[in-house]
């Protein structure tokens, strides 16, 4: 399940084989609620608890599933978000990526094909020194040749739920997207300690967390529910879209007539192929992440949506080769997929 087997019997780590129907249903439930009780997952999928337990354990072991609970933006103070595009010296992309993914201020990072080698989303302190400090640190990483960054002004949509888009359908559930900013005063030391455990293992039981922190299980449960209900914590389920048959993941910059910016953004945000959409400072530009089953589906999106949308001037795209980090969480599969690279991969 999830890994292709070449003739020599060794797994092919360069690609994901789509999972079967039951695993897809399990992943769909866990994308809606990564901490869902397995009994509820079994009921929703029409199978037994032991079967679901085995499947979830296997999905995690195969690097096809990771659940994490992350603090929402603002939990440590006011922040700004920037999108950065990086060109690396030939052969240094993997070593640069390793330096980037361990940074706590990197929320998203991917190796891409196109004019740039790496695209990342950087979350910095809102004070004036926050961005220059991060920029200088990152630009000093050996192998980085060129850097371009842009301030994110407004996020129209963000979703980590992968699903196959149905032609002609809309995705109104994710739009309009209300960006949540958490005030640091809403979290104390115990809250942060709980989140620290759940960021490493989003399905850790309240009982085990309580035992580790020396508090009551009811205290952990109550604090977790308060943090999620108040928008200070977010449960994220990380799944490779290719395992669900979605193999064309693309980052696009869409140039728009200034007076049509909101109209174009509203239409794109409702499109089921669009998983992320934001306006940036550098002109009337939208940064867009698009997911499709294949390059044919990507062409269909370009031809039938972008090319016909009133207000769109032009666009450019970079195919995501490997997603390194999403929602501050390192993807569990990227190191395995690049293990054949000449650059050494360190833990």
């Amino acid at each position: 399940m999830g890994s292709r087997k070449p003739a020599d019997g060794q797994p092919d780590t360069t690609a994901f084989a789509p999972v079967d129907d039951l695993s897809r249903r399990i992943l769909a439930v866990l994308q809606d609620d990564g901490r869902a009780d397995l009994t509820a997952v079994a009921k929703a999928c029409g199978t037994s608890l032991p079967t679901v337990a085995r499947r979830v354990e296997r999905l995690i072991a195969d690097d096809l599933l990771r659940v994490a609970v992350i603090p929402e933006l603002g939990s440590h103070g006011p922040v700004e978000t920037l999108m950065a595009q990086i060109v690396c010296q030939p052969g240094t992309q993997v070593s640069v990526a390793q330096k980037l993914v361990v940074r706590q201020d990197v929320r998203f990072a991917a190796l891409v094909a196109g004019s740039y080698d790496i695209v990342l989303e950087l979350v910095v302190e809102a004070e004036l020194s926050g961005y220059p400090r991060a920029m200088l640190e990152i630009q000093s990483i050996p192998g980085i040749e060129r850097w371009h960054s842009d301030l994110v002004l407004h996020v129209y949509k963000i979703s980590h739920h992968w699903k196959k888009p149905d032609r002609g359908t809309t995705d109104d559930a994710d739009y309009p997207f209300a960006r949540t900013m958490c005030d640091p005063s809403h979290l104390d030391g115990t809250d942060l300690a709980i989140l620290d455990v759940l960021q490493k293992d989003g399905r850790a039981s309240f009982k085990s967390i309580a035992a580790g922190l020396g508090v009551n299980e009811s205290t952990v449960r109550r604090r977790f529910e308060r943090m999620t209900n108040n928008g200070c914590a977010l449960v994220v389920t990380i799944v490779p879209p290719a395992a669900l048959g979605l193999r064309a993941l693309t980052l696009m910059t869409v140039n728009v007539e200034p007076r049509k910016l909101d109209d174009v953004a509203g239409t794109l945000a409702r499109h089921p192929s669009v998983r992320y959409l934001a306006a940036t400072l550098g002109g009337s530009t939208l940064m867009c992440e698009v997911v499709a089953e294949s390059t044919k589906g990507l062409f269909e999106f370009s031809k039938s949506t972008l090319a016909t949308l009133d207000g769109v001037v032009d666009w450019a795209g970079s195919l995501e080769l490997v997603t390194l980090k999403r929602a501050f969480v390192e993807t569990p599969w990227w190191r395995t997929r690049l293990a054949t690279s000449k650059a050494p991969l360190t833990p």
Side-chain angles (χ1 to χ4, degrees):
M1 176 179 62
S3 298
R4 292 180 177 176
K5 295 281 187 179
D8 62 2
Q10 297 300 312
D12 177 3
T13 59
T14 64
F16 294 105
V19 298
D20 63 19
D21 182 63
L22 176 57
S23 291
R24 280 196 298 271
R25 297 202 305 271
I26 292 171
L27 289 173
V29 175
L30 291 176
Q31 283 189 111
D32 288 332
D33 179 8
R35 288 187 56 82
D37 181 79
L38 292 186
T39 300
V41 176
K43 182 177 180 180
C45 295
T47 188
S48 67
L49 175 59
T51 297
V52 166
R54 286 194 301 270
R55 288 296 183 106
V56 170
E57 183 178 356
R58 178 71 182 276
L59 288 166
I60 293 172
D62 284 350
D63 290 337
L64 299 179
L65 171 67
R66 182 177 176 188
V67 179
V69 181
I70 59 171
E72 276 284 17
L73 296 185
S75 58
H76 296 284
V79 296
E80 296 288 358
T81 303
L82 299 105
M83 298 299 297
Q85 298 160 314
I86 297 172
V87 175
C88 299
Q89 296 171 4
T92 65
Q93 293 91 334
V94 174
S95 61
V96 171
Q98 290 183 95
K99 300 291 194 310
L100 291 172
V101 295
V102 298
R103 292 183 60 95
Q104 293 185 351
D105 54 5
V106 171
R107 181 159 69 162
F108 169 86
L111 292 175
V112 300
S115 301
Y116 299 90
D117 296 309
I118 297 174
V119 174
L120 63 86
E121 182 184 20
L122 193 64
V123 178
V124 299
E125 299 172 2
E127 63 182 58
L128 292 178
S129 63
Y131 173 60
R133 184 168 59 248
M135 177 186 69
L136 291 173
E137 289 175 358
I138 293 176
Q139 289 185 354
S140 68
I141 295 175
I144 292 182
E145 190 172 82
R146 194 165 72 249
W147 160 288
H148 172 78
S149 61
D150 205 353
L151 180 68
V152 174
L153 296 179
H154 179 73
V155 177
Y156 288 95
K157 179 181 180 180
I158 185 169
S159 175
H160 305 296
H161 194 297
W162 306 113
K163 54 188 175 184
K164 289 189 177 183
D166 295 322
R167 185 176 300 179
T169 64
T170 58
D171 197 11
D172 294 331
D174 288 318
Y175 185 80
F177 168 73
R179 183 182 183 185
T180 302
M181 294 292 285
C182 177
D183 192 295
S185 64
H186 295 168
L187 303 175
D188 61 18
T190 302
D191 292 328
L192 294 174
I194 293 170
L195 288 177
D196 184 60
V197 175
L198 288 172
Q199 195 161 2
K200 297 180 179 69
D201 179 7
R203 290 192 57 82
S205 68
F206 294 135
K207 183 177 181 179
S208 66
I209 298 172
L213 299 180
V215 297
N216 294 327
E217 180 180 352
S218 60
T219 298
V220 176
R221 183 185 301 276
R222 185 173 63 252
R223 284 174 175 267
F224 172 80
E225 292 175 350
R226 172 177 54 77
M227 287 188 286
T228 53
N229 290 337
N230 290 346
C232 284
L234 176 68
V235 181
V236 176
T237 303
I238 304 295
V239 175
L244 302 177
L246 301 168
R247 298 191 173 277
L249 198 58
T250 308
L251 291 169
M252 308 188 79
T253 53
V254 183
N255 294 316
V256 182
E257 294 178 24
R259 62 189 180 88
K260 297 288 185 66
L261 185 66
D262 267 353
D263 291 339
V264 171
T267 300
L268 290 177
R270 291 184 177 92
H271 197 290
S273 291
V274 174
R275 299 288 85 198
Y276 174 86
L277 185 69
T280 60
L281 182 60
S284 300
T285 303
L286 295 170
M287 175 66 75
C288 182
E289 185 178 39
V290 179
V291 63
E293 291 185 57
S294 63
T295 52
K296 181 179 179 181
L298 182 61
F299 174 68
E300 185 68 26
F301 174 81
S302 300
K303 180 184 70 172
S304 302
T305 299
L306 291 179
T308 62
L309 192 52
D310 185 31
V312 170
V313 177
D314 58 30
W315 62 88
S318 297
L319 186 67
E320 288 184 42
L321 302 176
V322 182
T323 304
L324 312 169
K325 200 171 187 179
R326 191 177 291 279
F328 293 110
V329 180
E330 185 176 342
T331 62
W333 59 81
W334 84 267
R335 294 180 185 274
T336 303
R337 293 194 69 189
L338 296 180
T340 56
S341 168
K342 293 181 181 179
L345 289 171
T346 56

